[in-house]
Amino acid sequence: MFRPRHPYIIDIEASGLGARSYPIEVGLALEPGRRYCTLIRPVDHWDHWDEQAESIHRISRQNLLTAGQPVTEVAARLNDLLRNRVVFSDAWGVDNPWIIELYAAAGIDKTFTISSLEMILSEQQMEVWANTRDSVVLDLGLQRHRASNDAWIIQETFVRTLAMSS
């Protein structure tokens, strides 16, 4: 598989981790210095809410209802930003189903692919990943468990570990 030097990264915050959870925030790390993030207004049948998850991401359901964007707008914007691209996730097993749920609720076809970040990580990168990520978090001083911040942390960790393994 082609290994990009600066991969696009997607991260999603959700209403919980169970089968009834749904996406509440999506963040992207795109070209260097370019990010995208939005809250997602829940559709009527998205009613599951996990207060423990809320305590981690610090996004209230009421905030989603007042500040979240409609699923159709979020899906269309993601398609515009990611059309025909592969975007990578460090939690593909949960992020991909949440994106599928978003697009199903929007009634729109997705025009990009999500792949597991592990598909482009070398063994050398994996060996230094955790320590490098911790350094990135300290260097960037970002609040974790917000989608675009987490996407940027993942992207910067990838870039730094790639430089270490070259």
Side-chain angles (χ1 to χ4, degrees):
M1 171 177 258
F2 169 72
R3 286 176 25 115
R5 298 196 65 73
H6 208 96
Y8 279 25
I9 304 293
I10 189 167
D11 189 76
I12 299 170
E13 299 299 327
S15 66
L17 293 176
R20 293 180 50 228
S21 64
Y22 50 89
I24 64 167
E25 182 181 47
V26 62
L28 302 172
L30 304 165
E31 294 89 9
R34 185 169 172 233
R35 293 185 285 165
Y36 169 78
C37 191
T38 190
L39 295 175
I40 303 166
R41 184 179 311 138
V43 295
D44 290 342
H45 68 277
W46 289 357
D47 56 7
H48 170 74
W49 192 256
D50 182 335
E51 292 187 13
Q52 185 176 1
E54 180 180 340
S55 72
I56 294 170
H57 53 59
R58 296 184 208 108
I59 302 167
S60 71
R61 184 164 167 87
Q62 185 58 44
N63 191 15
L64 297 175
L65 295 172
T66 58
Q69 298 300 308
V71 294
T72 53
E73 289 181 23
V74 175
R77 182 70 176 137
L78 291 175
N79 278 349
D80 288 344
L81 292 167
L82 302 172
R83 185 170 316 281
N84 299 323
R85 288 191 171 270
V86 176
V87 60
F88 296 91
S89 167
D90 73 337
W92 182 88
V94 289
D95 287 348
N96 195 52
W98 286 327
I99 285 292
I100 290 169
E101 178 67 27
L102 172 74
Y103 277 85
I108 296 174
D109 290 333
K110 181 171 61 74
T111 64
F112 59 93
T113 302
I114 301 177
S115 184
S116 173
L117 183 65
E118 293 173 347
M119 297 297 293
I120 58 170
L121 288 174
S122 69
E123 286 185 39
Q124 294 88 356
Q125 284 177 282
M126 289 183 203
E127 289 171 5
V128 297
W129 187 269
N131 289 336
T132 305
R133 182 195 58 231
D134 292 346
S135 295
V136 167
V137 169
L138 287 174
D139 291 349
L140 298 179
L142 297 173
Q143 176 185 338
R144 300 257 342 258
H145 303 293
R146 289 305 300 262
S148 66
N149 287 351
D150 285 355
W152 188 20
I153 289 166
I154 296 161
Q155 185 184 60
E156 183 62 21
T157 302
F158 179 90
V159 170
R160 289 185 190 185
T161 60
L162 182 63
M164 289 179 205
S165 65
S166 297

